[in-house]
Amino acid sequence: MTTPAWLDSDFMRACRGEPVRRTPVWFMRQAGRYMPEYRAIKEKSSFLEMCRTPDLATEITLQPVRALGVDAAILFSDILIPVAAMGLQVEFNPGPHIPQPVRSRADVDALRVPDPTETVPFVLEAIRRLRRELPANVPLIGFCGAPWTLACYMAEGGGGKEPSRMKRLCYEDPATADALLDKLAATNAAYLAAQIAAGVQAVQIFDTWASMLHRSDYARWSLPYVQRMIAMIHAAAGDQDVAPIIYFARESGALLADVATTGADVLSVDWRVPLDAARRIVGGALPLQGNLDPWALFAPWEELRRHADVVLRQAGTQPHIFNLGHGILQETPVDNVRRLVDHVHAHVR
């Protein structure tokens, strides 16, 4: 049987910890407001319309693949899409807003664990269309938010600042906090399993607000629910191979030893921790992703190249996927992103 081109891509090989022909590269938020093609669509459609319309989500996902030559596509969507499917109203104006936050046991009990095929069919349809339209050698990445991060948004009523309501709930009513995190773990495990069944070849779990947790709090309120999610995804797959799972916890330098026990296949590291230092903590076998500072993309090319070379040098010869330490910023020069992709591809390991 012929091996699918995407399965033998450098991105997938790196996810499996295998030798690569060249360092694979993709970027968090690679489809977004810095691209003129995206802004042209945004002028005519709201953010939620773009997420919920398969034609638009497909086109936006494809834009950086065409324009930049990245080694993987990531589905255009938002981590709060399954939160809306749980029964909460979610708005974007322009940032996320949840008019009725979750702050009591009654609020948690009112939430459902939805069936993704019934509640988010537009996500799954976009994935199926992308598998038909993407180049055969370009894998598609699906994603979701980690239970802790989504709980922070839900308790706070949106984003934009460091959330405090969820931490307060953990101290005031730990049983309710556990119940919310349990529902989120089940919801997002089913959501990622459905994405994998629809055709994504890898998934990433975003734990943005892990940064607000002390190591002991991370071990209590985030880590076990991520581990549970990953175990449920494996259970849903049965005898089938599970798509590689990437885990990203922002500002996780103090948490890396624990993060390495999530069960994820790849750890994405932000720019605050050098990759060689991260490697010493997590060991040599676990592939790493990252970790250029997104602000470096505003530098003149020679300076940007120097920063990229530092990341490549720190990655060494161990399995590595080049990425940013967080998402591409809004006014990032597209030419710098394109040149960076070419430079990483020219790197000899």
Side-chain angles (χ1 to χ4, degrees):
M1 177 180 286
T2 304
T3 301
W6 60 264
L7 186 61
D8 193 45
S9 67
D10 284 319
F11 171 80
M12 296 298 292
R13 292 171 69 91
C15 285
R16 297 191 297 263
E18 298 172 358
V20 296
R21 292 155 291 237
R22 64 183 188 182
T23 299
V25 52
W26 72 278
F27 303 107
M28 289 181 273
R29 293 188 194 149
Q30 66 187 16
R33 293 173 293 177
Y34 74 105
M35 298 192 73
E37 302 97 319
Y38 174 90
R39 294 196 297 271
I41 294 176
K42 185 68 173 67
E43 288 178 359
K44 302 175 183 178
S45 306
S46 72
F47 179 74
L48 279 176
E49 285 173 336
M50 293 189 295
C51 291
R52 291 172 173 166
T53 306
D55 283 346
L56 296 180
T58 298
E59 171 59 25
I60 294 168
T61 302
L62 291 169
Q63 287 173 350
V65 177
R66 299 184 190 121
L68 307 174
V70 287
D71 292 285
I74 183 165
L75 175 69
F76 178 78
S77 188
D78 190 85
I79 62 172
L80 295 182
I81 293 296
V83 169
M86 295 177 76
L88 283 184
Q89 182 180 350
V90 178
E91 303 170 351
F92 287 83
N93 48 7
H97 176 59
I98 297 171
Q100 296 179 312
V102 177
R103 294 176 182 170
S104 70
R105 186 55 182 257
D107 294 335
V108 174
D109 290 343
L111 298 171
R112 62 178 177 267
V113 176
D115 180 343
T117 61
E118 296 177 356
T119 56
V120 290
F122 49 88
V123 172
L124 308 182
E125 177 59 23
I127 290 169
R128 288 188 286 267
R129 294 186 188 194
L130 281 161
R131 282 297 354 130
R132 293 194 296 266
E133 297 191 31
L134 277 166
N137 64 336
V138 177
L140 175 62
I141 304 169
F143 69 91
C144 74
W148 171 258
T149 288
L150 292 182
C152 287
Y153 279 102
M154 294 163 75
E156 199 67 30
K161 60 180 180 179
E162 183 172 80
S164 60
R165 288 281 187 168
M166 186 59 192
K167 284 193 76 171
R168 176 175 166 178
L169 183 65
C170 291
Y171 284 105
E172 288 182 340
D173 190 352
T176 294
D178 276 319
L180 175 57
L181 292 164
D182 266 330
K183 281 194 171 181
L184 284 166
T187 294
N188 279 292
Y191 185 50
L192 289 188
Q195 291 185 42
I196 293 168
V200 301
Q201 284 95 12
V203 293
Q204 177 156 313
I205 300 170
F206 287 88
D207 208 351
T208 307
W209 290 116
S211 59
M212 67 184 297
L213 292 172
H214 180 276
R215 185 176 179 185
S216 62
D217 287 336
Y218 176 79
R220 170 67 176 87
W221 296 110
S222 182
L223 177 62
Y225 296 98
V226 175
Q227 291 172 328
R228 196 171 306 169
M229 269 184 63
I230 292 174
M232 286 189 283
I233 293 168
H234 281 272
D239 295 333
Q240 302 297 314
D241 289 336
V242 173
I245 299 171
I246 307 168
Y247 177 70
F248 172 68
R250 193 180 68 173
E251 297 182 44
S252 59
L255 309 174
L256 278 173
D258 299 290
V259 165
T261 70
T262 57
D265 301 287
V266 181
L267 294 186
S268 192
V269 182
D270 81 1
W271 71 92
R272 296 168 180 86
V273 182
L275 285 180
D276 50 359
R279 175 65 64 198
R280 288 192 292 272
I281 295 171
V282 306
L286 195 61
L288 296 181
Q289 178 177 275
N291 67 341
L292 182 71
D293 188 334
W295 292 99
L297 285 164
F298 290 94
W301 169 244
E302 291 303 320
E303 183 68 5
L304 170 56
R305 184 173 65 178
R306 185 182 70 80
H307 284 282
D309 286 343
V310 169
V311 172
L312 291 166
R313 183 171 64 252
Q314 291 172 346
T317 59
Q318 298 297 321
H320 174 232
I321 300 162
F322 193 98
N323 207 310
L324 303 180
H326 203 210
I328 293 182
L329 298 163
Q330 181 174 352
E331 297 178 357
T332 298
V334 177
D335 284 346
N336 271 4
V337 184
R338 187 180 298 111
R339 292 183 76 177
L340 178 60
V341 171
D342 291 341
H343 180 67
V344 172
H345 283 163
H347 173 68
V348 178
R349 302 196 68 183

